[in-house]
Amino acid sequence: MERTVKLRVRVDYSTYSALKEVEKEYREVLEDAINYGLSNKTTSFTRIKAGVYKTEREKHKDLPSHYIYTACEDASERLDSFEKLKKRGRSYTEKPSVRRVTIHLDDHLWKFNLDRISISTKRSRVFISPTFPKIFWRYYNKGWRIASEARFRLMKGNVVEFFIVFKKDVKPYEPKGFIPVDLNENSVSVLVDGKPMLLETNTKRITLGYEYRRKAITTGKPTKDREVRRKLKRLRERDKKVDIRRKLAKLIVIEAFESMSAIVLEDLPRRTPEHMIKDVKDKQLRLRIYRAAFSSMKNAIIEKAREFGVPVVLVNPSYTSTVCPIHGAKIVYQLDGGDAPRVGVCEKGKEKWHRDVVALYNLAKRAGDVSPVPLGSKESHDPPIRWLRAKSLHSIMNEHKMIEMKV
Protein backbone atom coordinates (compact mmCIF):
# COMPACT_ATOMS: atom_id res chain seq x y z
CA MET A 1 0.00 0.00 0.00
CA GLU A 2 1.38 3.40 -0.93
CA ARG A 3 0.45 7.07 -0.77
CA THR A 4 2.05 10.15 -2.30
CA VAL A 5 2.60 13.48 -0.52
CA LYS A 6 3.32 16.63 -2.52
CA LEU A 7 5.70 19.28 -1.22
CA ARG A 8 6.02 22.71 -2.86
CA VAL A 9 9.28 24.58 -2.28
CA ARG A 10 10.59 27.90 -3.60
CA VAL A 11 14.34 27.63 -4.28
CA ASP A 12 17.07 30.09 -5.23
CA TYR A 13 18.02 30.82 -8.83
CA SER A 14 21.16 28.63 -8.94
CA THR A 15 19.32 25.58 -7.59
CA TYR A 16 16.46 26.09 -10.02
CA SER A 17 18.87 26.49 -12.96
CA ALA A 18 20.69 23.26 -12.08
CA LEU A 19 17.39 21.38 -11.92
CA LYS A 20 16.28 23.03 -15.18
CA GLU A 21 19.34 21.59 -16.92
CA VAL A 22 18.43 18.14 -15.65
CA GLU A 23 14.83 18.58 -16.83
CA LYS A 24 15.96 19.58 -20.34
CA GLU A 25 18.19 16.54 -20.84
CA TYR A 26 15.72 14.20 -19.09
CA ARG A 27 13.07 15.31 -21.60
CA GLU A 28 15.39 14.50 -24.51
CA VAL A 29 16.13 11.02 -23.14
CA LEU A 30 12.43 10.44 -22.49
CA GLU A 31 11.45 11.41 -26.05
CA ASP A 32 14.17 9.17 -27.55
CA ALA A 33 13.07 6.26 -25.34
CA ILE A 34 9.43 6.70 -26.40
CA ASN A 35 10.41 6.80 -30.08
CA TYR A 36 12.50 3.65 -29.64
CA GLY A 37 9.61 1.84 -27.96
CA LEU A 38 7.22 2.85 -30.77
CA SER A 39 9.57 1.87 -33.58
CA ASN A 40 10.34 -1.48 -31.95
CA LYS A 41 6.74 -2.08 -30.80
CA THR A 42 7.62 -2.63 -27.18
CA THR A 43 6.61 -1.17 -23.82
CA SER A 44 9.18 -3.20 -21.85
CA PHE A 45 11.46 -1.15 -19.62
CA THR A 46 14.27 -3.70 -19.98
CA ARG A 47 14.18 -3.69 -23.79
CA ILE A 48 13.91 0.10 -24.01
CA LYS A 49 16.85 0.60 -21.63
CA ALA A 50 18.97 -1.95 -23.50
CA GLY A 51 18.19 -0.23 -26.80
CA VAL A 52 18.87 3.40 -25.89
CA TYR A 53 21.28 3.42 -22.95
CA LYS A 54 24.56 3.40 -24.85
CA THR A 55 23.49 6.11 -27.28
CA GLU A 56 22.02 8.34 -24.56
CA ARG A 57 25.08 7.92 -22.36
CA GLU A 58 27.28 9.25 -25.14
CA LYS A 59 24.92 12.18 -25.80
CA HIS A 60 24.52 13.17 -22.15
CA LYS A 61 27.92 12.50 -20.57
CA ASP A 62 27.46 14.91 -17.65
CA LEU A 63 24.00 13.65 -16.70
CA PRO A 64 24.01 11.01 -13.91
CA SER A 65 23.39 7.64 -15.56
CA HIS A 66 20.46 6.78 -13.31
CA TYR A 67 18.42 9.54 -14.94
CA ILE A 68 18.58 7.46 -18.12
CA TYR A 69 17.23 4.47 -16.19
CA THR A 70 14.35 6.45 -14.70
CA ALA A 71 13.56 8.12 -18.05
CA CYS A 72 13.28 4.65 -19.60
CA GLU A 73 10.91 3.62 -16.80
CA ASP A 74 8.87 6.77 -17.44
CA ALA A 75 8.76 6.00 -21.17
CA SER A 76 7.65 2.43 -20.48
CA GLU A 77 4.77 3.65 -18.28
CA ARG A 78 3.68 6.26 -20.85
CA LEU A 79 3.75 3.76 -23.71
CA ASP A 80 1.80 1.18 -21.72
CA SER A 81 -0.86 3.77 -20.82
CA PHE A 82 -1.00 4.95 -24.45
CA GLU A 83 -1.52 1.40 -25.74
CA LYS A 84 -4.42 0.88 -23.33
CA LEU A 85 -6.06 4.13 -24.45
CA LYS A 86 -5.51 3.18 -28.08
CA LYS A 87 -7.30 -0.14 -27.60
CA ARG A 88 -10.26 1.72 -26.08
CA GLY A 89 -10.36 4.20 -28.95
CA ARG A 90 -9.45 7.08 -26.63
CA SER A 91 -6.07 8.05 -28.14
CA TYR A 92 -6.13 11.18 -30.26
CA THR A 93 -2.48 11.26 -31.39
CA GLU A 94 -0.19 8.87 -33.23
CA LYS A 95 2.20 8.63 -30.30
CA PRO A 96 2.40 9.76 -26.66
CA SER A 97 3.06 13.50 -26.53
CA VAL A 98 5.52 14.74 -23.93
CA ARG A 99 3.97 17.98 -22.71
CA ARG A 100 4.75 18.09 -18.99
CA VAL A 101 7.79 16.37 -17.57
CA THR A 102 7.96 14.97 -14.06
CA ILE A 103 11.48 13.71 -13.35
CA HIS A 104 11.60 10.28 -11.72
CA LEU A 105 14.27 9.66 -9.07
CA ASP A 106 15.69 6.46 -7.65
CA ASP A 107 17.70 5.99 -4.46
CA HIS A 108 20.95 7.00 -6.23
CA LEU A 109 19.55 10.35 -7.34
CA TRP A 110 18.08 11.69 -4.10
CA LYS A 111 18.64 11.49 -0.36
CA PHE A 112 16.14 12.39 2.32
CA ASN A 113 16.30 13.62 5.88
CA LEU A 114 14.07 15.92 7.89
CA ASP A 115 16.44 18.87 7.50
CA ARG A 116 16.83 18.84 3.73
CA ILE A 117 16.47 16.81 0.54
CA SER A 118 19.44 16.44 -1.82
CA ILE A 119 19.08 15.84 -5.56
CA SER A 120 21.81 14.90 -8.04
CA THR A 121 22.35 17.27 -10.97
CA LYS A 122 24.89 17.45 -13.80
CA ARG A 123 27.68 18.99 -11.75
CA SER A 124 26.88 18.33 -8.09
CA ARG A 125 24.04 17.87 -5.65
CA VAL A 126 21.55 20.61 -4.82
CA PHE A 127 19.63 20.88 -1.57
CA ILE A 128 16.06 21.95 -0.85
CA SER A 129 14.53 22.51 2.59
CA PRO A 130 10.77 21.95 2.46
CA THR A 131 8.16 22.75 5.06
CA PHE A 132 6.30 19.50 5.67
CA PRO A 133 2.48 19.63 5.75
CA LYS A 134 0.33 17.88 8.34
CA ILE A 135 -0.41 14.94 6.05
CA PHE A 136 3.34 14.22 5.82
CA TRP A 137 3.64 13.91 9.59
CA ARG A 138 0.48 11.79 9.70
CA TYR A 139 2.13 9.14 7.53
CA TYR A 140 5.64 9.62 8.93
CA ASN A 141 4.55 9.07 12.55
CA LYS A 142 2.14 6.18 11.92
CA GLY A 143 4.34 3.38 10.68
CA TRP A 144 4.67 4.37 7.02
CA ARG A 145 8.13 4.23 5.46
CA ILE A 146 9.50 6.55 2.79
CA ALA A 147 10.06 4.69 -0.47
CA SER A 148 13.34 4.76 -2.39
CA GLU A 149 11.69 6.37 -5.43
CA ALA A 150 10.47 9.97 -5.68
CA ARG A 151 9.57 12.56 -8.34
CA PHE A 152 9.85 16.28 -8.89
CA ARG A 153 8.76 18.84 -11.47
CA LEU A 154 9.54 22.48 -12.01
CA MET A 155 6.94 25.23 -11.83
CA LYS A 156 7.03 28.93 -12.62
CA GLY A 157 8.59 31.34 -10.13
CA ASN A 158 11.52 29.08 -9.10
CA VAL A 159 9.10 26.64 -7.46
CA VAL A 160 9.82 22.91 -7.22
CA GLU A 161 7.03 20.39 -6.62
CA PHE A 162 8.48 17.32 -4.92
CA PHE A 163 6.54 14.06 -4.56
CA ILE A 164 7.43 11.72 -1.70
CA VAL A 165 6.04 8.19 -1.80
CA PHE A 166 5.08 6.47 1.47
CA LYS A 167 4.69 2.70 1.65
CA LYS A 168 3.24 0.43 4.27
CA ASP A 169 3.05 -3.35 4.59
CA VAL A 170 -0.50 -4.41 5.42
CA LYS A 171 -1.76 -7.68 6.79
CA PRO A 172 -3.95 -9.79 4.52
CA TYR A 173 -7.51 -8.49 4.69
CA GLU A 174 -10.08 -11.25 5.05
CA PRO A 175 -13.53 -9.72 4.55
CA LYS A 176 -16.30 -11.02 6.79
CA GLY A 177 -19.11 -9.51 4.75
CA PHE A 178 -20.08 -7.18 1.93
CA ILE A 179 -21.12 -3.55 1.69
CA PRO A 180 -22.79 -3.01 -1.70
CA VAL A 181 -22.84 0.56 -3.01
CA ASP A 182 -25.22 1.78 -5.74
CA LEU A 183 -24.30 5.06 -7.44
CA ASN A 184 -27.09 7.35 -8.60
CA GLU A 185 -27.28 10.83 -10.07
CA ASN A 186 -28.33 12.62 -6.87
CA SER A 187 -27.55 10.05 -4.17
CA VAL A 188 -25.53 7.00 -3.19
CA SER A 189 -27.28 4.04 -1.54
CA VAL A 190 -25.41 1.65 0.77
CA LEU A 191 -26.36 -1.62 2.49
CA VAL A 192 -24.79 -1.91 5.96
CA ASP A 193 -25.71 -4.80 8.28
CA GLY A 194 -28.78 -5.49 6.17
CA LYS A 195 -29.99 -1.91 6.57
CA PRO A 196 -30.28 0.15 3.36
CA MET A 197 -29.20 3.77 3.60
CA LEU A 198 -29.47 6.63 1.16
CA LEU A 199 -26.81 9.34 1.20
CA GLU A 200 -28.01 12.49 -0.51
CA THR A 201 -25.33 14.29 -2.55
CA ASN A 202 -27.35 17.21 -4.00
CA THR A 203 -25.47 16.77 -7.30
CA LYS A 204 -28.63 17.62 -9.24
CA ARG A 205 -29.03 20.97 -7.45
CA ILE A 206 -25.34 21.81 -7.92
CA THR A 207 -25.36 20.94 -11.63
CA LEU A 208 -28.52 22.89 -12.47
CA GLY A 209 -27.66 25.84 -10.22
CA TYR A 210 -24.26 26.31 -11.78
CA GLU A 211 -25.64 25.82 -15.29
CA TYR A 212 -28.18 28.61 -14.75
CA ARG A 213 -25.46 30.90 -13.39
CA ARG A 214 -23.18 30.02 -16.28
CA LYS A 215 -25.87 30.98 -18.80
CA ALA A 216 -26.56 34.24 -16.99
CA ILE A 217 -22.86 35.14 -17.08
CA THR A 218 -22.22 34.23 -20.73
CA THR A 219 -25.47 35.39 -22.38
CA GLY A 220 -24.64 38.03 -24.98
CA LYS A 221 -20.95 38.10 -23.99
CA PRO A 222 -17.90 36.36 -25.47
CA THR A 223 -16.40 33.65 -23.26
CA LYS A 224 -12.93 35.08 -23.90
CA ASP A 225 -13.86 38.29 -22.14
CA ARG A 226 -11.65 38.75 -19.07
CA GLU A 227 -14.51 39.57 -16.70
CA VAL A 228 -16.57 36.63 -17.98
CA ARG A 229 -13.65 34.24 -17.49
CA ARG A 230 -13.10 35.54 -13.97
CA LYS A 231 -16.75 34.99 -13.03
CA LEU A 232 -16.81 31.51 -14.58
CA LYS A 233 -13.69 30.55 -12.66
CA ARG A 234 -15.35 31.54 -9.37
CA LEU A 235 -18.26 29.11 -9.90
CA ARG A 236 -16.13 26.13 -8.76
CA GLU A 237 -18.65 23.47 -9.72
CA ARG A 238 -15.93 20.86 -10.14
CA ASP A 239 -14.36 21.61 -6.74
CA LYS A 240 -17.68 21.11 -4.94
CA LYS A 241 -18.35 17.78 -6.68
CA VAL A 242 -14.82 16.53 -5.99
CA ASP A 243 -15.29 17.43 -2.31
CA ILE A 244 -18.55 15.45 -2.18
CA ARG A 245 -16.95 12.41 -3.83
CA ARG A 246 -14.03 12.40 -1.42
CA LYS A 247 -16.25 12.70 1.65
CA LEU A 248 -18.54 9.91 0.45
CA ALA A 249 -15.60 7.67 -0.40
CA LYS A 250 -14.07 8.20 3.04
CA LEU A 251 -17.38 7.52 4.79
CA ILE A 252 -18.01 4.27 2.91
CA VAL A 253 -14.45 2.94 3.13
CA ILE A 254 -14.11 3.61 6.87
CA GLU A 255 -17.40 1.80 7.48
CA ALA A 256 -16.13 -1.17 5.46
CA PHE A 257 -12.73 -1.11 7.20
CA GLU A 258 -14.21 -1.08 10.71
CA SER A 259 -16.62 -3.92 9.93
CA MET A 260 -13.98 -5.92 7.96
CA SER A 261 -16.17 -5.94 4.85
CA ALA A 262 -15.52 -5.83 1.11
CA ILE A 263 -17.07 -3.05 -0.96
CA VAL A 264 -19.23 -4.11 -3.90
CA LEU A 265 -19.51 -1.71 -6.85
CA GLU A 266 -20.99 -1.88 -10.31
CA ASP A 267 -18.39 -2.52 -13.00
CA LEU A 268 -19.50 0.47 -15.04
CA PRO A 269 -18.73 0.28 -18.78
CA ARG A 270 -16.56 2.80 -20.56
CA ARG A 271 -18.22 6.14 -21.24
CA THR A 272 -21.13 5.33 -18.96
CA PRO A 273 -22.88 8.73 -19.26
CA GLU A 274 -22.78 8.56 -23.06
CA HIS A 275 -24.59 5.21 -22.99
CA MET A 276 -27.14 6.45 -20.46
CA ILE A 277 -28.12 9.61 -22.36
CA LYS A 278 -28.29 7.92 -25.77
CA ASP A 279 -32.11 7.59 -25.69
CA VAL A 280 -32.84 10.54 -23.39
CA LYS A 281 -34.50 13.50 -25.14
CA ASP A 282 -34.87 15.85 -22.17
CA LYS A 283 -31.94 18.29 -22.43
CA GLN A 284 -31.90 19.02 -18.71
CA LEU A 285 -31.84 15.34 -17.78
CA ARG A 286 -29.06 14.68 -20.32
CA LEU A 287 -27.01 17.45 -18.72
CA ARG A 288 -27.57 16.11 -15.20
CA ILE A 289 -26.63 12.53 -16.13
CA TYR A 290 -23.54 13.57 -18.07
CA ARG A 291 -22.22 15.69 -15.21
CA ALA A 292 -23.05 13.18 -12.48
CA ALA A 293 -19.57 11.62 -13.03
CA PHE A 294 -20.42 8.03 -12.05
CA SER A 295 -16.97 6.72 -12.98
CA SER A 296 -15.28 9.46 -10.95
CA MET A 297 -17.30 8.47 -7.88
CA LYS A 298 -16.41 4.81 -8.41
CA ASN A 299 -12.72 5.67 -8.84
CA ALA A 300 -12.76 7.83 -5.70
CA ILE A 301 -14.07 4.89 -3.65
CA ILE A 302 -11.53 2.49 -5.19
CA GLU A 303 -8.65 4.90 -4.52
CA LYS A 304 -9.66 5.42 -0.89
CA ALA A 305 -10.16 1.66 -0.46
CA ARG A 306 -6.58 1.07 -1.61
CA GLU A 307 -5.37 3.47 1.07
CA PHE A 308 -7.06 1.38 3.79
CA GLY A 309 -6.41 -1.98 2.12
CA VAL A 310 -10.14 -2.68 1.72
CA PRO A 311 -10.94 -5.06 -1.17
CA VAL A 312 -13.35 -3.88 -3.86
CA VAL A 313 -15.49 -6.32 -5.84
CA LEU A 314 -16.74 -5.16 -9.26
CA VAL A 315 -19.87 -6.94 -10.53
CA ASN A 316 -22.04 -6.83 -13.64
CA PRO A 317 -24.43 -3.85 -13.38
CA SER A 318 -27.03 -5.20 -15.84
CA TYR A 319 -30.63 -5.32 -14.57
CA THR A 320 -29.67 -4.81 -10.91
CA SER A 321 -32.69 -2.56 -10.33
CA THR A 322 -35.25 -4.41 -12.47
CA VAL A 323 -34.97 -8.03 -11.23
CA CYS A 324 -36.30 -9.31 -7.89
CA PRO A 325 -33.37 -10.73 -5.87
CA ILE A 326 -35.63 -13.41 -4.33
CA HIS A 327 -37.79 -14.68 -7.18
CA GLY A 328 -35.69 -13.60 -10.15
CA ALA A 329 -38.84 -12.11 -11.69
CA LYS A 330 -39.19 -8.72 -13.34
CA ILE A 331 -40.06 -5.73 -11.15
CA VAL A 332 -42.76 -3.51 -12.65
CA TYR A 333 -42.39 0.13 -11.65
CA GLN A 334 -45.49 2.23 -11.18
CA LEU A 335 -45.58 5.66 -12.82
CA ASP A 336 -45.21 8.42 -10.24
CA GLY A 337 -44.75 11.45 -12.46
CA GLY A 338 -40.96 11.48 -12.15
CA ASP A 339 -38.23 10.82 -14.68
CA ALA A 340 -37.65 7.31 -13.26
CA PRO A 341 -40.29 5.65 -11.04
CA ARG A 342 -38.71 4.63 -7.73
CA VAL A 343 -41.17 2.01 -6.39
CA GLY A 344 -42.10 -1.21 -8.17
CA VAL A 345 -43.80 -4.56 -7.56
CA CYS A 346 -42.36 -8.03 -8.17
CA GLU A 347 -44.46 -9.80 -10.83
CA LYS A 348 -44.23 -13.12 -8.97
CA GLY A 349 -44.13 -12.32 -5.24
CA LYS A 350 -46.11 -9.04 -5.42
CA GLU A 351 -43.90 -7.43 -2.76
CA LYS A 352 -42.85 -3.81 -3.15
CA TRP A 353 -39.30 -2.83 -3.94
CA HIS A 354 -37.52 0.51 -4.07
CA ARG A 355 -35.27 0.90 -7.10
CA ASP A 356 -32.15 1.81 -5.13
CA VAL A 357 -32.66 -0.90 -2.53
CA VAL A 358 -33.24 -3.80 -4.92
CA ALA A 359 -29.99 -2.80 -6.65
CA LEU A 360 -28.14 -3.19 -3.34
CA TYR A 361 -29.43 -6.71 -2.71
CA ASN A 362 -28.65 -7.75 -6.29
CA LEU A 363 -25.13 -6.36 -6.06
CA ALA A 364 -24.50 -8.26 -2.83
CA LYS A 365 -25.90 -11.44 -4.36
CA ARG A 366 -23.67 -11.17 -7.42
CA ALA A 367 -20.63 -10.64 -5.19
CA GLY A 368 -21.30 -13.99 -3.50
CA ASP A 369 -23.28 -12.94 -0.43
CA VAL A 370 -25.55 -15.85 0.54
CA SER A 371 -27.38 -14.03 3.34
CA PRO A 372 -31.16 -14.34 2.93
CA VAL A 373 -32.99 -11.29 1.65
CA PRO A 374 -35.71 -10.22 4.15
CA LEU A 375 -39.17 -11.13 2.88
CA GLY A 376 -41.47 -11.65 5.86
CA SER A 377 -41.55 -8.09 7.15
CA LYS A 378 -43.78 -5.78 5.19
CA GLU A 379 -41.83 -2.83 6.50
CA SER A 380 -38.65 -4.11 4.89
CA HIS A 381 -40.22 -3.75 1.46
CA ASP A 382 -42.15 -0.55 1.92
CA PRO A 383 -41.31 2.55 -0.11
CA PRO A 384 -38.61 4.87 1.30
CA ILE A 385 -41.05 6.64 3.63
CA ARG A 386 -40.12 4.15 6.36
CA TRP A 387 -36.54 3.11 5.75
CA LEU A 388 -34.86 5.08 2.98
CA ARG A 389 -35.26 8.60 4.29
CA ALA A 390 -32.51 10.65 2.63
CA LYS A 391 -30.14 12.42 4.96
CA SER A 392 -27.81 15.18 3.81
CA LEU A 393 -24.15 14.31 3.36
CA HIS A 394 -23.04 17.33 5.40
CA SER A 395 -24.96 16.28 8.51
CA ILE A 396 -23.70 12.70 8.23
CA MET A 397 -20.07 13.81 7.99
CA ASN A 398 -20.52 16.01 11.05
CA GLU A 399 -21.51 12.96 13.07
CA HIS A 400 -18.29 11.15 12.04
CA LYS A 401 -20.11 7.90 11.28
CA MET A 402 -22.73 6.39 9.05
CA ILE A 403 -26.14 5.88 10.67
CA GLU A 404 -29.46 4.51 9.51
CA MET A 405 -31.85 7.01 7.97
CA LYS A 406 -34.96 7.46 10.08
CA VAL A 407 -38.13 9.52 9.75
Side-chain angles (χ1 to χ4, degrees), residues 23-285:
E23 181 195 51
K24 180 182 177 182
E25 298 202 20
Y26 182 93
R27 179 188 286 270
E28 293 174 0
V29 177
L30 177 61
E31 290 176 342
D32 290 343
I34 289 174
N35 291 333
Y36 178 87
L38 288 172
S39 61
N40 290 273
K41 298 181 180 180
T42 180
T43 61
S44 167
F45 159 68
T46 305
R47 291 185 61 185
I48 292 174
K49 185 188 73 171
V52 304
Y53 180 78
K54 185 176 180 180
T55 304
E56 298 301 325
R57 197 76 192 96
E58 293 176 356
K59 289 170 60 177
H60 307 281
K61 294 181 180 179
D62 294 333
L63 188 70
S65 61
H66 281 261
Y67 278 115
I68 300 176
Y69 299 158
T70 58
C72 290
E73 287 180 349
D74 193 354
S76 174
E77 292 173 6
R78 289 174 183 250
L79 287 167
D80 186 58
S81 176
F82 179 78
E83 288 298 321
K84 290 178 180 177
L85 290 174
K86 193 173 181 180
K87 288 179 181 179
R88 298 174 185 173
R90 301 296 297 274
S91 60
Y92 304 106
T93 57
E94 294 297 324
K95 66 175 186 177
S97 56
V98 182
R99 289 177 292 182
R100 299 184 66 182
V101 173
T102 300
I103 295 91
H104 292 221
L105 305 171
D106 62 16
D107 55 349
H108 292 267
L109 297 174
W110 78 295
K111 302 295 180 183
F112 171 85
N113 61 53
L114 294 177
D115 295 327
R116 62 184 185 177
I117 297 172
S118 68
I119 305 173
S120 295
T121 62
K122 292 180 65 177
R123 297 173 184 83
S124 61
R125 285 182 171 266
V126 297
F127 302 93
I128 62 176
S129 301
T131 300
F132 299 109
K134 288 182 180 179
I135 192 170
F136 172 88
W137 296 111
R138 187 185 307 169
Y139 291 127
Y140 189 82
N141 294 323
K142 290 190 176 181
W144 293 72
R145 58 184 174 83
I146 296 177
S148 60
E149 66 270 14
R151 304 187 303 275
F152 77 87
R153 68 178 172 213
L154 303 181
M155 312 294 288
K156 293 181 180 179
N158 291 359
V159 173
V160 179
E161 280 191 348
F162 199 88
F163 301 88
I164 295 179
V165 179
F166 283 92
K167 292 188 176 182
K168 186 177 184 180
D169 298 325
V170 296
K171 298 179 181 178
Y173 190 104
E174 297 180 2
K176 300 177 181 179
F178 296 95
I179 294 183
V181 180
D182 183 46
L183 308 179
N184 302 289
E185 178 222 343
N186 200 43
S187 63
V188 173
S189 51
V190 187
L191 188 68
V192 180
D193 295 330
K195 298 174 182 178
M197 305 180 184
L198 190 68
L199 309 179
E200 191 177 79
T201 61
N202 286 328
T203 304
K204 172 182 174 181
R205 179 180 60 81
I206 293 173
T207 299
L208 295 180
Y210 282 88
E211 184 62 20
Y212 296 147
R213 294 183 199 175
R214 192 176 289 108
K215 285 184 178 180
I217 293 171
T218 58
T219 300
K221 299 177 184 178
T223 55
K224 292 185 179 180
D225 182 81
R226 184 175 181 180
E227 184 65 18
V228 171
R229 290 169 60 188
R230 184 182 67 81
K231 290 181 178 179
L232 289 175
K233 188 175 181 180
R234 291 176 61 185
L235 291 181
R236 300 183 63 194
E237 175 186 1
R238 180 180 179 274
D239 293 342
K240 285 186 175 291
K241 289 183 177 179
V242 168
D243 181 62
I244 289 172
R245 288 196 289 268
R246 288 175 177 172
K247 287 179 178 178
L248 270 172
K250 181 179 179 181
L251 184 69
I252 293 168
V253 170
I254 289 179
E255 187 71 26
F257 180 77
E258 292 180 350
S259 62
M260 290 294 290
S261 301
I263 297 174
V264 184
L265 291 171
E266 293 179 327
D267 189 9
L268 299 174
R270 303 184 189 101
R271 303 186 184 183
T272 299
E274 296 179 19
H275 292 295
M276 295 178 68
I277 66 175
K278 186 166 52 177
D279 299 322
V280 177
K281 296 181 180 179
D282 187 340
K283 290 185 179 180
Q284 187 186 99
L285 182 57

Side-chain angles (χ1 to χ4, degrees), residues 368-379:
D369 190 352
V370 296
S371 303
V373 179
L375 179 62
S377 171
K378 179 180 181 298
E379 180 181 348

